[in-house]
């Protein structure tokens, strides 16, 4: 008995797989430092947990509307009005089981077979898989203007000088009559880049020429910006607001990854379609978690500010530490909580390449995976290979862990690299 073609080609999330392996090693007594998971190491604030407990005690444990409770939709609309100056009615809001769930449903609701979805690289690992599951074709656009249909079995490089931001020329080159959607993610996972309002307006000018193309703006890290400001393209270019799907949630901002509450705001007919999809698949997001999310949005933000201040320190700590390792190039992230160092300096080292099973100058397909595996086995540090995000010769390291863990991990990696470089 065979699987469907879509299920057969689907690979597990590499981030979750690596974190699971690190946890298994720790359970076996191995001292592993994990820099792989994209979740805050802080506990959910007490008033949010108290709201969930109160909901249980009050018996709020039954079905809710499939698209979310009205009071949470209203709170989301109020939150976006305060943060971005954008007006949405509650009927233009859908609540899902995390931002990931909402993104997948939005793609399913809009993308048909043979439609293309333009995804800037590097990208969050799940975007291409979600597009393929919907029957669409993920087209990857790189900062240097190269575009190609995503193939996870190929090697992908881009010039260091090009940076990691999508620019108007590259966007224009990637768009065509088949482009049903463009996905924007800022602050970005994995790079932490943040677009300026002027940069977003440059992209908007190009998108105005393609009026049938939807824009999915993944803004899950919008409260974690250390340099610049996180503006939504819907706020910068209000004339495009009708075809923007703004996605966010409580997981990163409020340390609520396991609660699984996210949302999308946008055109009423698309939001309604996402709600209909949920009604036939998951039904409602967990009732208790919705009450917790409501408390998060309406309650005090002291814990959020404290978490932000700690992340701001860690971004400098990890960037400074990694920059001292031979072969690494990295700058402090502008947002989110990831470092995304370019490590092609290691691949270009004959000793390193040969010890990892490569020939210097050979296209480095699998190099980031080999290097990440080496660090896990030899240095006991877990991270995610850059190839999973569309760029080989990179690694993604989360600094959503303690300063002590960051210092320990960097020290171990430095020692491991020294060993690789010895003839």
């Amino acid at each position: 008995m065979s699987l469907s073609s879509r299920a057969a080609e689907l690979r597990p999330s590499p981030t979750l797989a690596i974190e699971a392996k690190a946890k298994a090693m720790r359970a076996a007594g191995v001292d592993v430092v994990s820099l792989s998971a994209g979740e805050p190491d802080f506990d959910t604030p007490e008033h949010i947990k108290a709201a969930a407990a109160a909901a249980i005690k009050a018996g709020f444990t039954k079905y809710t509307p499939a698209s979310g409770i009205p009071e949470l939709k209203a709170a989301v609309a109020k939150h976006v009005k305060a943060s971005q100056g954008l007006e949405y009615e509650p009927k233009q809001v859908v609540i899902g089981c995390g931002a990931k769930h909402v993104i997948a449903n939005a793609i399913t609701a809009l993308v048909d077979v043979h439609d293309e979805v333009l995804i800037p690289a590097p990208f969050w690992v799940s975007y291409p898989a979600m597009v393929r599951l919907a029957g669409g074709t993920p087209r990857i656009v790189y900062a240097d203007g190269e575009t190609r249909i995503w193939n996870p079995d190929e090697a992908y490089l881009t010039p260091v000088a090009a940076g990691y931001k999508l620019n108007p020329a590259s966007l224009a080159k990637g768009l065509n009559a088949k482009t049903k959607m463009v996905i924007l993610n800022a602050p970005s996972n994995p790079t932490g880049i943040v677009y300026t309002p002027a940069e977003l307006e440059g992209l908007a000018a190009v998108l105005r020429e393609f009026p049938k193309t939807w824009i999915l703006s993944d803004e899950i890290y919008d409260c974690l910006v250390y340099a610049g400001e996180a503006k939504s393209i819907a706020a910068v270019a209000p004339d495009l607001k009708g075809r923007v799907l703004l996605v966010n949630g409580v997981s990163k901002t409020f340390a609520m990854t396991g609660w699984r509450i996210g949302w999308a705001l946008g055109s009423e007919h698309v939001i309604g379609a996402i709600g209909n999809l949920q009604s036939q698949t998951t039904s409602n997001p967990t009732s208790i978690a919705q009450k917790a999310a409501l408390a998060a949005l309406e309650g005090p933000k002291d814990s959020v500010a404290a978490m932000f201040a700690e992340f701001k320190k860690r971004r400098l700590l990890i960037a400074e530490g990694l920059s001292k390792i031979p072969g690494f190039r990295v700058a402090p992230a502008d947002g989110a909580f990831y470092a995304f160092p370019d490590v092609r300096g290691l691949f270009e080292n004959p000793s390193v390449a040969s010890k990892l099973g490569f020939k210097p100058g050979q296209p480095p397909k699998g190099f980031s995976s080999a290097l990440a595996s080496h660090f896990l086995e030899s240095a006991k540090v877990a991270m995610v290979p850059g190839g999973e995000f569309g760029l080989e010769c990179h690694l993604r390291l989360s600094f959503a862990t303690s300063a002590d863990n960051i210092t320990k991990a960097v020290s171990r990696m430095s020692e491991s690299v020294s060993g690789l470089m010895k003839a």
Side-chain angles (χ1 to χ4, degrees):
M1 301 292 286
S2 62
L3 297 171
S4 71
S5 58
R6 291 178 185 176
E9 75 167 16
L10 191 62
R11 304 180 182 187
S13 166
T15 309
L16 297 180
I18 291 169
E19 182 61 15
K21 183 175 181 178
K23 288 180 178 178
M25 291 174 69
R26 284 198 295 268
V30 181
D31 180 22
V32 175
V33 179
S34 180
L35 304 182
S36 60
E39 66 176 349
D41 57 316
F42 297 87
D43 193 14
T44 302
E46 290 299 324
H47 73 280
I48 297 173
K49 292 191 288 185
I56 294 173
K57 189 173 182 179
F60 193 74
T61 56
K62 308 297 183 181
Y63 290 127
T64 76
S67 60
I69 58 177
E71 56 265 44
L72 181 55
K73 291 183 178 184
V76 167
K78 183 178 179 181
H79 172 74
V80 173
K81 169 66 174 177
S83 62
Q84 295 288 348
L86 293 168
E87 295 275 3
Y88 291 95
E89 297 180 33
K91 62 185 178 182
Q92 293 177 286
V93 181
V94 62
I95 310 297
C97 304
K100 188 173 192 175
H101 180 229
V102 172
I103 292 169
N105 284 350
I107 292 172
T108 300
L110 287 171
V111 176
D112 279 319
V113 176
H114 306 309
D115 284 342
E116 289 190 357
V117 176
L118 195 65
I119 306 172
F123 46 76
W124 179 46
V125 297
S126 293
Y127 293 145
M130 290 175 173
V131 172
R132 284 192 163 165
L133 277 173
T137 301
R139 176 175 289 278
I140 310 303
V141 57
Y142 292 83
D144 63 353
E146 179 186 358
T147 69
R148 61 172 81 178
I149 301 302
W150 171 242
N151 182 347
D153 295 321
E154 294 181 3
Y156 293 81
L157 297 171
T158 193
V160 176
Y164 302 116
K165 290 185 179 183
L166 180 65
N167 59 60
S170 297
L171 174 60
K173 185 176 180 181
L175 289 166
N176 60 61
K178 295 181 179 179
T179 309
K180 188 64 173 290
M181 178 185 290
V182 173
I183 296 179
L184 299 178
N185 174 214
S188 161
N189 174 6
T191 65
I193 60 102
V194 175
Y195 289 97
T196 66
E199 289 168 339
L200 287 174
E201 175 52 43
L203 300 179
V206 175
L207 289 165
R208 291 187 181 101
E209 302 300 315
F210 292 82
K212 295 183 179 180
T213 298
W214 289 89
I215 305 154
L216 193 154
S217 185
D218 182 354
E219 303 174 14
I220 193 67
Y221 297 96
D222 70 334
C223 288
L224 296 174
V225 177
Y226 319 108
E229 59 177 334
K231 295 296 292 183
S232 174
I233 191 169
V236 171
D239 59 305
L240 299 182
K241 178 172 173 279
R243 54 190 176 104
V244 172
L245 289 174
L246 191 161
V247 177
N248 211 320
V250 296
S251 62
K252 314 298 182 179
T253 301
F254 299 99
M256 294 177 66
T257 50
W259 296 81
R260 308 314 302 139
I261 294 293
W263 54 74
L265 305 94
S267 173
E268 184 179 349
H269 79 285
V270 176
I271 294 300
I274 296 172
N276 290 340
L277 181 60
Q278 291 181 185
S279 75
Q280 296 287 6
T281 52
T282 55
S283 295
N284 61 275
T286 302
S287 58
I288 301 155
Q290 290 188 71
K291 286 292 189 179
L294 181 63
L297 291 175
E298 294 184 340
K301 307 296 188 295
D302 298 12
S303 57
V304 175
M307 185 171 66
F308 173 84
E310 185 61 29
F311 283 147
K312 192 172 184 179
K313 296 175 185 175
R314 295 176 187 175
R315 73 186 264 271
L316 298 177
L317 178 66
I318 196 168
E320 181 180 348
L322 292 175
S323 295
K324 294 177 181 178
I325 301 177
F328 277 64
R329 294 182 58 175
V330 62
D334 290 337
F337 40 61
Y338 307 107
F340 195 64
D342 186 312
V343 293
R344 76 185 62 214
L346 293 181
F347 172 74
E348 293 166 353
N349 182 289
S351 176
V352 175
S354 63
K355 287 181 179 179
L356 293 177
F358 295 85
K359 295 179 181 179
Q362 174 188 353
K365 175 58 190 173
F367 177 75
S368 62
S369 292
L371 185 58
S373 294
H374 176 80
F375 281 133
L376 181 57
E377 298 298 330
S378 72
K380 305 299 184 289
V381 179
M383 63 202 68
V384 187
E388 302 291 350
F389 300 90
L391 286 182
E392 287 284 4
C393 290
H394 288 71
L395 298 169
R396 194 203 75 173
L397 300 91
S398 169
F399 54 84
T401 187
S402 69
D404 286 344
N405 278 342
I406 292 170
T407 300
K408 183 191 296 185
V410 169
S411 176
R412 290 180 180 184
M413 291 170 64
S414 181
E415 184 177 345
S416 179
V417 168
S418 295
L420 284 172
M421 287 186 164
K422 289 180 181 178

